[in-house]
Amino acid sequence: MELPSKINNNEKSLQQGISPSGNGGLISNSKLTALVVDSDRICQILEKAILESQGVETQVVGSGRDALDLLASGATFNLIIIAMVLPIMNGVETTRQIRAMGIRSKMLGVTACSYEREKQAFLDAGVDEFIEKPLTPQKLASIMREMRNA
Amino acid sequence: MERTQQHRQVAHMRQSLFDQGLLDEQFVQLEELQDDANPNFVEEVVTLFYRDSARLVLNIDQALDKSPLDFSKLDSYMHQFKGSASSIGAKKVKSECTLFREYCKAGNGEGCMKTFQQLKKDYAVLRKKLETYFQVIFHSLLFDKDGEN
């Protein structure tokens, strides 16, 4: 089955490591940018679709390692949406390492988990907010409003 | 069948998926992301879900066959499964994922197995109903096109 452009573009994004803009990831001053870090394809597609429907330039990576490499290359994002369960290096450890790099982007931890202890671990690692999957346009809209007003 | 009847059939089928507790509001969010550029977005995301989750179902089945049970591994698989099931609005499947994880936390192997058997049934029922629903939508759209010509 041929996947439609919305899903195919997402697949292409998985191979893209660097923003084409040459200025470290910010496509334009007026557009917000986001990085989705999630190994689940459905979640990647959904989160990217929601972000793009709200005018956010979005890149997607499937692992913590890929996220760190992308950020280390100079790419910058207004928002990083990061899943808790990731291959090899989990979301909590990835978040710690992102913060240790000095990156101050807004970070939103997302997970299907509902255990308090695990939520707290994510917050302690450095995410600004934590939500239970799935991400919805309403949840994202309020975060976007805060970011645009900041 | 008249165009109006076709549309009514689609609406009725859709509503019954919610009334039976199979889908929740998240499915509506998927529908709202569908547009003219991607008119089959919902169907394709659902198809992808069933394709990708088949591997997880197999992994969980295999892990439940082992002795002793590795509850941490089972929980991790189910965590992933729950994430994508909730993303397509699979309400019943999602609640069974939550129950399964509770049994994992309690180290209750029998509870895990029973819940997973039920989950697989509901997962298959939802798949069948959604496939039928998408087919009816497809025929309805064909009917609309014929009507225009």
Side-chain angles (χ1 to χ4, degrees), chain A residues 7 40 60 137:
Chain A
I7 296 179
D40 183 281
V60 179

mmCIF file of all heavy atoms in Angstrom, chain A residues 7 40 60 137:
data_model
loop_
_atom_site.group_PDB
_atom_site.id
_atom_site.type_symbol
_atom_site.label_atom_id
_atom_site.label_comp_id
_atom_site.label_asym_id
_atom_site.label_seq_id
_atom_site.Cartn_x
_atom_site.Cartn_y
_atom_site.Cartn_z
ATOM 1 N N ILE A 7 2.121 10.778 5.381
ATOM 2 C CA ILE A 7 2.862 9.713 6.038
ATOM 3 C C ILE A 7 4.226 9.550 5.371
ATOM 4 O O ILE A 7 5.230 9.375 6.048
ATOM 5 C CB ILE A 7 2.065 8.394 6.032
ATOM 6 C CG1 ILE A 7 0.801 8.590 6.855
ATOM 7 C CG2 ILE A 7 2.888 7.241 6.535
ATOM 8 C CD1 ILE A 7 -0.104 7.394 6.942
ATOM 9 N N ASP A 40 7.709 5.040 18.032
ATOM 10 C CA ASP A 40 6.456 4.448 17.540
ATOM 11 C C ASP A 40 5.977 5.222 16.314
ATOM 12 O O ASP A 40 5.737 6.430 16.390
ATOM 13 C CB ASP A 40 5.393 4.501 18.653
ATOM 14 C CG ASP A 40 4.112 3.832 18.223
ATOM 15 O OD1 ASP A 40 3.337 4.452 17.480
ATOM 16 O OD2 ASP A 40 3.886 2.679 18.607
ATOM 17 N N VAL A 60 11.269 14.701 12.796
ATOM 18 C CA VAL A 60 11.010 13.500 13.587
ATOM 19 C C VAL A 60 12.258 12.626 13.621
ATOM 20 O O VAL A 60 12.906 12.427 12.595
ATOM 21 C CB VAL A 60 9.843 12.680 12.971
ATOM 22 C CG1 VAL A 60 9.589 11.414 13.784
ATOM 23 C CG2 VAL A 60 8.582 13.514 12.878
ATOM 24 N N PRO A 137 -4.672 17.990 19.627
ATOM 25 C CA PRO A 137 -4.531 19.386 19.192
ATOM 26 C C PRO A 137 -4.816 20.378 20.325
ATOM 27 O O PRO A 137 -4.176 21.425 20.413
ATOM 28 C CB PRO A 137 -5.564 19.516 18.072
ATOM 29 C CG PRO A 137 -5.727 18.133 17.547
ATOM 30 C CD PRO A 137 -5.568 17.232 18.737
#
